[in-house]
């Protein structure tokens, strides 16, 4: 996040404090002292002394830089896994990652009024509080109660052990990161570096601040590469395990749970009946009555075109722009569980009832909403496969008029022209996505969306992806309610999505045993004392950050 104009960044604050210290030292040096007589000057001796002082100063600076940039932490081995050395810096990264993840998850859950089974107190260092989580930990050798530091040591150790073992197994089987994988990692690093620079940090300085001394770009990239290779190996093995299913086994899995795989095409206009005061029953009843009246008017239409028009006719002034789009109410290839989460279980049950027919319509009143429903296509098994693409989204400005939208189109066209004027590779497109895309869900990964299926994305986006004529390397512009998408087509998989899902589920069930077999054969040599010392350093930095945060607040 960019710093505020009236606030100093951490780097600026450091420079300001450093100038103050120098000024203070200079002031002290300038004070009058006792007058002493000086010996005659021996220029040769002074030159020798000067040279020695310069050498010593250079050595001190070099040693200081070495410690500042964490070279010892990168050279100090704290454990060895299947012959691969793990440095103190690497362990620091995994320890801090485990801590940060727990803190972030607790914060995320609290935003939605949910509680976590984690009892971590973020106002104390992990070593200063007794562990009360659900993961079973080994008893301490000193007989004392386990602390949260013990938990994060276990998390870091387990993650390193599993990742290194899987990466070694992947290498044995010829599974490696390709240019596209590396481009995705480069894109992630570029995004982090941009964020760091906005706060006057270099990438290495930012990583040190977040994770600890010794954790620079080299260590961080290595961790990203490990994670990417683990994911690639697991995906490959999951696909391999799922591919062993016979057609009869796939059919049996479908027959056993059709509700999970069948889809429907349905239009739903939702009217909220929530009021500002839950205690005002008359207002709630009036809101429900008004909503039901509009819903009845919509479903009274003779056909789908009439339904679409009725939706527009009943839209309030601030809803006009939304429902000007004919697809605003359409849910295509929606599963029962997805429809239930987006509306209600009553709506999903009605739509997926076995006696439903195309053109059926109804009004369903729920606790906080009224739904006007028009069934376009009753439940069916979608035989479409999946598509993999990259895109760059340029958002429409809020309340954009025609001129503003035209400006957005021109901006998107300019990006596409820039791509077409280059070497037109996927990695080049990924770089442009990192620099330009306003889609927060995919920008850092180069705009990548893998294995897109019907019903997942907005309709214009999907229609472009699922065009039968689409070929690898195709590009184009697509407009949706969000803005303009600069598209790059990568590949298609014609295996029906439902079948892919069944095979993936089967592979996922069996992948854990494969991972357990790999990690079960690991030979690990842990230097317990060094690991403990590293964890203590991590906790010291965490406590320092807590104290600083408390002071600033």
């Amino acid at each position: 996040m960019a710093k505020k104009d009236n606030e100093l960044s951490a780097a600026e604050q450091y420079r300001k404090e450093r100038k103050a210290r120098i000024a203070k030292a200079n002031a002290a040096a300038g004070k009058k002292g006792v007058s002493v007589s000086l010996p005659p000057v021996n220029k040769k001796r002074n030159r020798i002394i000067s040279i020695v002082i310069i050498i010593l100063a250079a050595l001190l600076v070099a040693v200081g830089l070495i410690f500042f940039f964490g070279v010892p932490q990168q050279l100090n081995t704290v454990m060895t896994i299947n012959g691969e050395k793990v440095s103190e810096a690497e362990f620091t990264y995994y320890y801090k990652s485990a801590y940060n993840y727990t803190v972030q998850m607790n914060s995320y859950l609290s935003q939605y009024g949910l509680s976590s089974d984690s009892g971590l107190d973020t106002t104390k260092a992990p070593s200063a509080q007794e562990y009360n989580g659900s993961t079973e930990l080994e008893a301490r050798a000193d007989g004392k109660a386990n602390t949260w530091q013990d938990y994060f040591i276990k998390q870091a150790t387990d993650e390193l052990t599993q990742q290194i073992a899987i990466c070694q197994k992947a290498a044995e089987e010829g599974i490696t990161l390709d240019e596209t994988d590396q481009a995705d990692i480069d894109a992630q690093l570029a995004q982090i570096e941009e964020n760091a620079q906005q706060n006057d940090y270099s990438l290495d300085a930012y990583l040190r601040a977040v994770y600890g001394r010794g954790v620079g770009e080299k260590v961080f990239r290595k961790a990203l590469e490990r994670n990417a290779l683990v994911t690639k190996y697991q995906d490959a093995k999951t696909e391999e395990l799922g591919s062993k299913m016979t057609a009869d086994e796939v059919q049996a899995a479908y027959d056993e749970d059709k509700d999970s795989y069948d889809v429907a095409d349905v239009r739903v206009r939702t009217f909220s009946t929530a009021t500002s005061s839950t205690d005002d029953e008359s207002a709630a009843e009036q809101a429900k009555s008004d909503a039901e009246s509009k819903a009845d008017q919509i479903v009274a239409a003779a056909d789908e075109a009439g339904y679409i028009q009725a939706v527009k006719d009943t839209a309030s002034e601030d809803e006009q722009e939304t429902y000007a789009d004919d697809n605003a109410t359409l849910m295509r290839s929606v599963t029962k569980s997805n429809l239930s989460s987006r509306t209600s279980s009553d709506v999903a049950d009605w739509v997926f009832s076995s006696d439903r027919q195309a053109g059926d319509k109804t009004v369903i009143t729920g606790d906080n909403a009224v739904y006007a429903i028009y069934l376009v296509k009753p439940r069916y098994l979608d035989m479409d496969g999946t598509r993999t693409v990259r895109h760059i989204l340029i958002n429409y400005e809020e309340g954009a008029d025609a001129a503003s939208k035209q400006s957005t189109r021109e901006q998107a066209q300019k990006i596409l022209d820039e791509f077409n004027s280059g070497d037109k590779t996927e990695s080049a497109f990924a770089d442009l996505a990192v620099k330009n895309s306003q889609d927060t869900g995919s920008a850092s990964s180069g705009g990548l969306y893998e294995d897109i299926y019907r019903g997942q994305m907005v309709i214009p986006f999907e229609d472009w992806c699922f065009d039968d004529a689409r070929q690898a390397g195709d590009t184009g512009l697509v407009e949706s309610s969000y803005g303009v998408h600069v598209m790059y087509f990568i590949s298609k998989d014609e295996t029906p999505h439902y079948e892919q899902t069944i095979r993936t589920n089967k592979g996922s069930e069996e992948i854990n045993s494969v991972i357990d077999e790999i990690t079960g054969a690991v030979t690990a040599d842990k230097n317990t004392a060094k690991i403990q010392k590293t964890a203590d350093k991590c906790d010291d930095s965490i406590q320092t950050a807590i104290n600083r945060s408390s002071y600033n607040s």
Side-chain angles (χ1 to χ4, degrees), residues 22 72 106 144 155 163 180 232 315 382 403:
I22 292 173
N106 287 355
K144 296 181 180 179
Q155 291 296 103
Q163 288 204 348
T180 301
K232 191 167 187 176
D382 190 352

Side-chain angles (χ1 to χ4, degrees), residues 10-47:
E12 289 171 333
Q13 183 66 36
Y14 169 77
R15 287 195 293 270
K16 181 180 178 182
E17 292 173 355
R18 182 173 179 272
K19 287 180 181 178
R21 288 196 299 271
I22 292 173
K24 184 177 180 181
N26 289 340
K31 291 179 181 178
K32 293 182 178 180
V34 179
S35 177
V36 295
S37 59
L38 299 177
V41 175
N42 183 330
K43 293 184 178 179
K44 181 177 180 181
R45 178 172 176 271
N46 280 356
R47 282 198 300 271

Side-chain angles (χ1 to χ4, degrees), residues 105-253:
M105 283 303 298
N106 287 355
S107 175
Y108 174 80
L109 291 171
S110 67
Q111 290 176 12
Y112 291 92
L114 303 174
S115 60
S116 168
D117 64 349
S118 162
L120 177 68
D121 184 349
T122 56
T123 65
K124 298 179 182 178
S127 56
Q129 51 185 306
E130 187 174 326
Y131 176 71
N132 56 0
S134 57
T135 300
E136 186 175 344
L137 301 178
E138 291 184 10
R140 292 170 59 104
D142 58 10
K144 296 181 180 179
N146 287 117
T147 66
W148 274 94
Q149 183 189 76
D150 297 322
Y151 170 78
F152 292 125
I153 288 175
K154 174 178 170 55
Q155 291 296 103
T157 302
D158 288 351
E159 186 72 7
L160 275 161
T161 301
Q162 185 180 92
Q163 288 204 348
I164 289 175
I166 293 174
C167 286
Q168 290 175 344
K169 188 66 174 178
E172 288 177 16
E173 298 184 16
I175 299 175
T176 59
L177 299 180
D178 56 26
E179 290 184 2
T180 301
D181 298 322
Q182 291 292 351
D184 289 339
I185 292 171
D186 290 340
Q188 293 178 61
L189 282 168
Q191 185 67 56
I192 294 171
E193 185 170 22
E194 181 181 340
N195 293 338
Q197 289 174 348
Q198 289 175 356
N199 290 281
D200 295 337
Y201 280 91
S202 68
L203 176 59
D204 280 340
Y206 175 78
L207 293 173
R208 283 196 302 273
V210 174
Y211 295 104
R213 190 159 293 173
V215 182
E217 180 178 356
K218 183 178 178 181
V219 172
F220 190 66
R221 175 181 283 277
K222 189 175 183 180
L224 291 179
E225 289 176 341
R226 274 196 191 124
N227 189 64
L229 186 54
V230 167
T231 299
K232 191 167 187 176
Y233 178 81
Q234 290 178 320
D235 288 348
K237 295 304 292 185
T238 298
E239 183 176 349
E240 177 186 320
L241 293 166
S243 68
K244 295 179 180 179
M245 291 184 74
T246 65
D248 288 343
E249 288 174 330
V250 171
Q251 184 63 44

Side-chain angles (χ1 to χ4, degrees), residues 259-264 332-340 348 352:
D259 278 352
S260 292
Y261 306 110
D262 282 349
V263 296
R332 193 168 60 185
S333 298
V334 64
T335 62
K336 185 175 183 179
S337 61
N338 193 343
L339 181 59
S340 178
F352 280 85

Side-chain angles (χ1 to χ4, degrees), residues 453-487:
Y453 52 87
R454 288 281 194 185
Q456 181 182 4
M457 314 297 282
V458 289
I459 289 174
F461 189 103
E462 279 185 15
D463 286 344
W464 189 91
C465 295
F466 283 88
D467 188 321
D468 291 338
R470 197 64 59 219
Q471 298 294 323
D474 282 357
T475 58
L477 299 180
V478 171
E479 288 192 57
S480 75
S481 56
Y482 294 103
V484 182
H485 309 256
V486 185
M487 307 294 299

Side-chain angles (χ1 to χ4, degrees), residues 338-405:
N338 193 343
L339 181 59
S340 178
S341 65
R342 294 168 67 178
T343 56
S344 74
S345 58
D346 289 339
V347 172
D349 288 340
W350 184 88
V351 169
F352 280 85
S353 174
S354 59
D355 58 355
R356 288 279 82 79
Q357 295 181 4
D360 283 355
K361 49 196 175 180
T362 193
V363 172
I364 292 179
T365 299
D367 292 336
N368 297 300
V370 173
Y371 306 95
I373 307 166
Y374 183 95
L375 187 59
V376 179
K377 187 176 181 179
R379 65 185 298 162
Y380 63 98
L381 186 59
D382 190 352
M383 300 303 292
D384 275 327
T386 56
R387 306 290 184 264
T388 295
V389 302
R390 291 184 186 270
H391 88 131
I392 300 168
L393 173 64
I394 308 300
N395 283 322
Y396 288 138
E397 293 181 1
E398 186 175 351
D401 57 17
S404 176
K405 290 185 177 181

